[in-house]
Amino acid sequence: MFELCASILAADFAHLARDVQAADAAGADAFHIDIMDGHFVPAISFGTGMVRTMRGLTRKPLDVHLMVETPLDFVEELAALGVERVSVHYEIPGGPGPALQAIRAAGMQPGLVLNPETPVEAAKPFLPQIRQLLLMTVHPGRGGQPYLPGSNARIAAASQLVQAAPQPIPIQVDGGITLCTIAEAHAAGAWSFVSGSAVFGGPVPRNVRQLRLAATVCPQDLL
Ligand code: DX5
Ligand code: ZN
């Protein structure tokens, strides 16, 4: 079992409704929305207006990735918009604890995100609070980058770490997830695959179907 989470950062915004609905119909399980503030990462992407638009386009779960320094500022509005999951970075000033708590209190599922250089053990104190652990498999801030070497070992270590929690904590991976990398990430222990370029670059229905098939291939068979 796994989840394909289509990252709209790579969508063609001139045809957003067409492409989101195509991904939805072809089997995307959820939609990933990257909010960037120009501080935590250099880029600015979109804000809660895009979340409102997406809520109007799909009934699939919305998975919001806050690449922002002050995630608390967003929680109330995201809850009001009917967002299911919100992930915040470990690396933000003051740490993620208060935002994780607020997300949960607002009735959404809190996720913790670790940048590639953050040791997976950093998640340990937050395990009781989270419903998803998101490992960045590229440096955050833009799409279309290659899957970082060492990601599979991090996924495997994180899979071990989350066993200590009483509740199930799925591992999500974000960045460089393509037909070439999805199977190895799955074999390493990831459950949710965020994919932008590989979903929205080219024909969306075909991309979604192929990614879903590729996720279940045994990586040994690819050698
Ligand atoms: C990167 C974002 C990703 C991005 C992934 O900072 O968090 O969600 O959309 O894009 P691809 O799949 O192109 O690597
Ligand atoms: Zn993301």
Side-chain angles (χ1 to χ4, degrees):
M1 281 294 288
F2 65 93
E3 168 188 271
L4 180 64
C5 197
S7 176
I8 60 158
L9 192 63
D12 174 356
F13 297 137
H15 299 102
L16 185 68
R18 180 195 71 188
D19 286 358
V20 165
Q21 282 157 359
D24 192 329
D29 300 293
F31 287 88
H32 182 87
I33 307 175
D34 289 301
I35 294 184
M36 306 180 191
D37 65 356
H39 295 283
F40 182 73
V41 289
I44 292 175
S45 53
F46 27 67
T48 50
M50 177 58 95
V51 177
R52 183 184 302 277
T53 298
M54 285 297 295
R55 189 72 295 170
L57 293 177
T58 180
R59 299 177 72 93
K60 299 268 174 82
L62 298 182
D63 177 75
V64 173
H65 176 188
L66 291 176
M67 277 169 272
V68 306
E69 286 190 347
T70 57
L72 277 170
D73 296 347
F74 292 83
V75 171
E76 201 181 320
E77 199 176 347
L78 293 176
L81 288 169
V83 166
E84 282 80 1
R85 268 186 251 158
V86 182
S87 295
V88 297
H89 274 262
Y90 170 82
E91 301 84 3
I92 57 173
L100 292 172
Q101 208 167 0
I103 291 162
R104 172 119 193 166
M108 301 179 289
Q109 295 172 13
L112 178 66
V113 196
L114 304 182
N115 276 343
E117 45 290 307
T118 301
V120 294
E121 292 71 30
K124 207 168 176 183
F126 301 99
L127 293 181
Q129 281 178 274
I130 63 176
R131 293 294 175 275
Q132 168 168 285
L133 179 59
L134 165 49
L135 301 180
M136 291 308 302
T137 42
V138 299
H139 297 289
R142 60 190 171 85
Q145 305 177 74
Y147 188 75
L148 282 170
S151 294
N152 295 343
R154 284 172 58 74
I155 296 166
S159 302
Q160 283 295 316
L161 190 83
V162 298
Q163 298 302 321
Q167 80 283 18
I169 303 179
I171 307 291
Q172 185 178 63
V173 285
D174 183 6
I177 298 297
T178 66
L179 287 178
C180 300
T181 57
I182 195 167
E184 58 187 279
H186 195 200
W191 178 80
S192 174
F193 304 100
V194 175
S195 182
S197 318
V199 168
F200 291 107
V204 174
R206 182 204 67 183
N207 292 344
V208 169
R209 284 195 300 269
Q210 288 187 340
L211 280 164
R212 293 193 66 86
L213 280 173
T216 58
V217 168
C218 174
Q220 260 69 30
D221 295 344
L222 301 173
L223 300 175

mmCIF file of all heavy atoms in Angstrom, residues 7-10 32 34 36 65 67 136 138-145 174-177 194-198, ligand 1:
data_model
loop_
_atom_site.group_PDB
_atom_site.id
_atom_site.type_symbol
_atom_site.label_atom_id
_atom_site.label_comp_id
_atom_site.label_asym_id
_atom_site.label_seq_id
_atom_site.Cartn_x
_atom_site.Cartn_y
_atom_site.Cartn_z
ATOM 1 N N SER A 7 2.132 17.010 -6.376
ATOM 2 C CA SER A 7 2.561 18.340 -5.926
ATOM 3 C C SER A 7 2.270 19.373 -7.011
ATOM 4 O O SER A 7 2.886 19.365 -8.084
ATOM 5 C CB SER A 7 4.061 18.334 -5.611
ATOM 6 O OG SER A 7 4.472 19.639 -5.277
ATOM 7 N N ILE A 8 1.356 20.282 -6.709
ATOM 8 C CA ILE A 8 0.892 21.218 -7.736
ATOM 9 C C ILE A 8 1.901 22.307 -8.066
ATOM 10 O O ILE A 8 1.675 23.090 -8.983
ATOM 11 C CB ILE A 8 -0.464 21.847 -7.361
ATOM 12 C CG1 ILE A 8 -0.354 22.625 -6.049
ATOM 13 C CG2 ILE A 8 -1.555 20.799 -7.309
ATOM 14 C CD1 ILE A 8 -1.440 23.665 -5.900
ATOM 15 N N LEU A 9 3.029 22.340 -7.336
ATOM 16 C CA LEU A 9 4.073 23.327 -7.670
ATOM 17 C C LEU A 9 4.487 23.207 -9.136
ATOM 18 O O LEU A 9 4.867 24.189 -9.769
ATOM 19 C CB LEU A 9 5.275 23.101 -6.744
ATOM 20 C CG LEU A 9 6.355 24.167 -6.716
ATOM 21 C CD1 LEU A 9 5.785 25.487 -6.206
ATOM 22 C CD2 LEU A 9 7.531 23.735 -5.829
ATOM 23 N N ALA A 10 4.404 21.985 -9.667
ATOM 24 C CA ALA A 10 4.849 21.745 -11.046
ATOM 25 C C ALA A 10 3.701 21.820 -12.055
ATOM 26 O O ALA A 10 3.905 21.562 -13.242
ATOM 27 C CB ALA A 10 5.522 20.373 -11.132
ATOM 28 N N HIS A 32 -0.570 17.819 -2.867
ATOM 29 C CA HIS A 32 0.435 18.450 -2.017
ATOM 30 C C HIS A 32 0.572 19.907 -2.449
ATOM 31 O O HIS A 32 0.751 20.203 -3.632
ATOM 32 C CB HIS A 32 1.743 17.687 -2.225
ATOM 33 C CG HIS A 32 2.914 18.139 -1.420
ATOM 34 N ND1 HIS A 32 3.166 17.667 -0.146
ATOM 35 C CD2 HIS A 32 3.940 18.975 -1.712
ATOM 36 C CE1 HIS A 32 4.312 18.198 0.305
ATOM 37 N NE2 HIS A 32 4.790 19.012 -0.624
ATOM 38 N N ASP A 34 2.655 23.372 -1.718
ATOM 39 C CA ASP A 34 3.865 23.952 -1.115
ATOM 40 C C ASP A 34 3.671 25.440 -0.899
ATOM 41 O O ASP A 34 3.646 26.211 -1.860
ATOM 42 C CB ASP A 34 5.055 23.771 -2.061
ATOM 43 C CG ASP A 34 5.503 22.330 -2.160
ATOM 44 O OD1 ASP A 34 5.857 21.750 -1.128
ATOM 45 O OD2 ASP A 34 5.490 21.799 -3.292
ATOM 46 N N MET A 36 5.442 28.742 0.393
ATOM 47 C CA MET A 36 6.799 29.253 0.684
ATOM 48 C C MET A 36 6.708 30.741 0.986
ATOM 49 O O MET A 36 5.952 31.456 0.346
ATOM 50 C CB MET A 36 7.708 29.064 -0.532
ATOM 51 C CG MET A 36 7.767 27.652 -1.052
ATOM 52 S SD MET A 36 8.854 27.564 -2.480
ATOM 53 C CE MET A 36 8.488 25.924 -3.090
ATOM 54 N N HIS A 65 2.341 21.696 2.757
ATOM 55 C CA HIS A 65 3.743 21.697 3.201
ATOM 56 C C HIS A 65 4.147 23.156 3.416
ATOM 57 O O HIS A 65 4.290 23.909 2.449
ATOM 58 C CB HIS A 65 4.587 21.026 2.099
ATOM 59 C CG HIS A 65 6.064 21.033 2.342
ATOM 60 N ND1 HIS A 65 6.957 20.612 1.383
ATOM 61 C CD2 HIS A 65 6.811 21.393 3.419
ATOM 62 C CE1 HIS A 65 8.194 20.718 1.861
ATOM 63 N NE2 HIS A 65 8.127 21.205 3.087
ATOM 64 N N MET A 67 6.634 25.712 4.019
ATOM 65 C CA MET A 67 8.051 26.106 4.027
ATOM 66 C C MET A 67 8.096 27.573 4.448
ATOM 67 O O MET A 67 8.411 28.467 3.655
ATOM 68 C CB MET A 67 8.655 25.905 2.642
ATOM 69 C CG MET A 67 9.095 24.470 2.410
ATOM 70 S SD MET A 67 9.501 24.184 0.695
ATOM 71 C CE MET A 67 7.899 23.734 0.098
ATOM 72 N N MET A 136 12.606 15.340 3.348
ATOM 73 C CA MET A 136 12.943 16.006 2.090
ATOM 74 C C MET A 136 14.030 15.175 1.405
ATOM 75 O O MET A 136 15.073 14.889 2.007
ATOM 76 C CB MET A 136 13.457 17.422 2.342
ATOM 77 C CG MET A 136 12.421 18.413 2.847
ATOM 78 S SD MET A 136 10.908 18.528 1.874
ATOM 79 C CE MET A 136 11.535 18.990 0.251
ATOM 80 N N VAL A 138 15.197 16.256 -1.541
ATOM 81 C CA VAL A 138 15.948 17.315 -2.244
ATOM 82 C C VAL A 138 16.041 18.471 -1.249
ATOM 83 O O VAL A 138 15.378 18.453 -0.210
ATOM 84 C CB VAL A 138 15.244 17.814 -3.533
ATOM 85 C CG1 VAL A 138 15.073 16.695 -4.551
ATOM 86 C CG2 VAL A 138 13.897 18.466 -3.212
ATOM 87 N N HIS A 139 16.816 19.501 -1.589
ATOM 88 C CA HIS A 139 16.816 20.707 -0.752
ATOM 89 C C HIS A 139 15.521 21.458 -1.036
ATOM 90 O O HIS A 139 15.136 21.617 -2.196
ATOM 91 C CB HIS A 139 18.060 21.551 -1.057
ATOM 92 C CG HIS A 139 19.320 20.813 -0.712
ATOM 93 N ND1 HIS A 139 19.702 20.575 0.588
ATOM 94 C CD2 HIS A 139 20.236 20.211 -1.499
ATOM 95 C CE1 HIS A 139 20.816 19.867 0.593
ATOM 96 N NE2 HIS A 139 21.171 19.625 -0.660
ATOM 97 N N PRO A 140 14.819 21.888 0.031
ATOM 98 C CA PRO A 140 13.490 22.455 -0.187
ATOM 99 C C PRO A 140 13.545 23.782 -0.928
ATOM 100 O O PRO A 140 14.546 24.501 -0.863
ATOM 101 C CB PRO A 140 12.974 22.665 1.244
ATOM 102 C CG PRO A 140 14.190 22.816 2.076
ATOM 103 C CD PRO A 140 15.245 21.959 1.434
ATOM 104 N N GLY A 141 12.471 24.088 -1.633
ATOM 105 C CA GLY A 141 12.363 25.408 -2.227
ATOM 106 C C GLY A 141 12.072 25.439 -3.713
ATOM 107 O O GLY A 141 11.617 26.452 -4.222
ATOM 108 N N ARG A 142 12.337 24.326 -4.410
ATOM 109 C CA ARG A 142 11.969 24.319 -5.825
ATOM 110 C C ARG A 142 11.833 22.884 -6.327
ATOM 111 O O ARG A 142 12.418 21.954 -5.742
ATOM 112 C CB ARG A 142 12.950 25.114 -6.682
ATOM 113 C CG ARG A 142 14.332 24.639 -6.659
ATOM 114 C CD ARG A 142 15.293 25.620 -7.332
ATOM 115 N NE ARG A 142 16.643 25.192 -7.074
ATOM 116 C CZ ARG A 142 17.282 24.292 -7.796
ATOM 117 N NH1 ARG A 142 16.702 23.748 -8.851
ATOM 118 N NH2 ARG A 142 18.504 23.931 -7.477
ATOM 119 N N GLY A 143 11.075 22.757 -7.407
ATOM 120 C CA GLY A 143 10.838 21.440 -7.987
ATOM 121 C C GLY A 143 11.910 21.085 -9.007
ATOM 122 O O GLY A 143 12.808 21.879 -9.297
ATOM 123 N N GLY A 144 11.809 19.868 -9.518
ATOM 124 C CA GLY A 144 12.659 19.443 -10.627
ATOM 125 C C GLY A 144 14.098 19.119 -10.265
ATOM 126 O O GLY A 144 14.950 19.060 -11.152
ATOM 127 N N GLN A 145 14.399 18.899 -8.994
ATOM 128 C CA GLN A 145 15.770 18.560 -8.603
ATOM 129 C C GLN A 145 15.915 17.037 -8.506
ATOM 130 O O GLN A 145 14.943 16.332 -8.280
ATOM 131 C CB GLN A 145 16.104 19.153 -7.234
ATOM 132 C CG GLN A 145 15.896 20.655 -7.114
ATOM 133 C CD GLN A 145 16.202 21.121 -5.683
ATOM 134 O OE1 GLN A 145 17.355 21.195 -5.268
ATOM 135 N NE2 GLN A 145 15.165 21.427 -4.919
ATOM 136 N N ASP A 174 9.592 13.709 -0.384
ATOM 137 C CA ASP A 174 9.259 14.859 -1.236
ATOM 138 C C ASP A 174 10.522 15.341 -1.941
ATOM 139 O O ASP A 174 11.471 15.790 -1.292
ATOM 140 C CB ASP A 174 8.690 15.968 -0.340
ATOM 141 C CG ASP A 174 8.234 17.194 -1.119
ATOM 142 O OD1 ASP A 174 8.249 17.162 -2.369
ATOM 143 O OD2 ASP A 174 7.855 18.189 -0.461
ATOM 144 N N GLY A 175 10.497 15.245 -3.275
ATOM 145 C CA GLY A 175 11.597 15.767 -4.077
ATOM 146 C C GLY A 175 12.280 14.690 -4.898
ATOM 147 O O GLY A 175 12.754 13.694 -4.346
ATOM 148 N N GLY A 176 12.265 14.881 -6.227
ATOM 149 C CA GLY A 176 12.968 13.947 -7.109
ATOM 150 C C GLY A 176 12.303 12.586 -7.213
ATOM 151 O O GLY A 176 12.953 11.613 -7.596
ATOM 152 N N ILE A 177 11.014 12.513 -6.873
ATOM 153 C CA ILE A 177 10.310 11.224 -6.989
ATOM 154 C C ILE A 177 9.812 11.086 -8.430
ATOM 155 O O ILE A 177 8.960 11.839 -8.896
ATOM 156 C CB ILE A 177 9.136 11.130 -5.985
ATOM 157 C CG1 ILE A 177 9.657 11.214 -4.538
ATOM 158 C CG2 ILE A 177 8.335 9.857 -6.209
ATOM 159 C CD1 ILE A 177 10.586 10.089 -4.106
ATOM 160 N N VAL A 194 5.415 12.263 -2.682
ATOM 161 C CA VAL A 194 5.082 13.576 -3.254
ATOM 162 C C VAL A 194 5.822 13.679 -4.574
ATOM 163 O O VAL A 194 7.032 13.486 -4.631
ATOM 164 C CB VAL A 194 5.530 14.705 -2.308
ATOM 165 C CG1 VAL A 194 5.289 16.062 -2.972
ATOM 166 C CG2 VAL A 194 4.799 14.610 -0.977
ATOM 167 N N SER A 195 5.086 13.985 -5.620
ATOM 168 C CA SER A 195 5.742 14.100 -6.924
ATOM 169 C C SER A 195 5.113 15.245 -7.706
ATOM 170 O O SER A 195 3.888 15.311 -7.843
ATOM 171 C CB SER A 195 5.601 12.777 -7.683
ATOM 172 O OG SER A 195 6.275 12.877 -8.911
ATOM 173 N N GLY A 196 5.981 16.146 -8.178
ATOM 174 C CA GLY A 196 5.520 17.305 -8.939
ATOM 175 C C GLY A 196 5.809 17.155 -10.419
ATOM 176 O O GLY A 196 4.915 16.878 -11.223
ATOM 177 N N SER A 197 7.081 17.314 -10.794
ATOM 178 C CA SER A 197 7.461 17.276 -12.216
ATOM 179 C C SER A 197 7.034 15.974 -12.889
ATOM 180 O O SER A 197 6.600 15.982 -14.044
ATOM 181 C CB SER A 197 8.977 17.404 -12.372
ATOM 182 O OG SER A 197 9.473 18.371 -11.504
ATOM 183 N N ALA A 198 7.181 14.857 -12.165
ATOM 184 C CA ALA A 198 6.889 13.570 -12.802
ATOM 185 C C ALA A 198 5.386 13.349 -12.971
ATOM 186 O O ALA A 198 4.967 12.502 -13.752
ATOM 187 C CB ALA A 198 7.507 12.436 -11.993
HETATM 188 C C1 DX5 B 1 10.257 21.214 -3.128
HETATM 189 C C2 DX5 B 1 8.807 20.930 -2.874
HETATM 190 C C3 DX5 B 1 8.239 19.770 -3.619
HETATM 191 C C4 DX5 B 1 8.285 19.876 -5.113
HETATM 192 C C5 DX5 B 1 8.746 18.552 -5.609
HETATM 193 O O1 DX5 B 1 10.720 22.119 -2.195
HETATM 194 O O2 DX5 B 1 8.587 20.690 -1.495
HETATM 195 O O3 DX5 B 1 6.939 19.433 -3.173
HETATM 196 O O4 DX5 B 1 7.066 20.179 -5.723
HETATM 197 O O5 DX5 B 1 8.967 18.650 -6.953
HETATM 198 P P1 DX5 B 1 9.588 17.488 -7.831
HETATM 199 O O6 DX5 B 1 8.677 16.297 -7.739
HETATM 200 O O7 DX5 B 1 9.645 18.089 -9.177
HETATM 201 O O8 DX5 B 1 10.950 17.171 -7.268
#
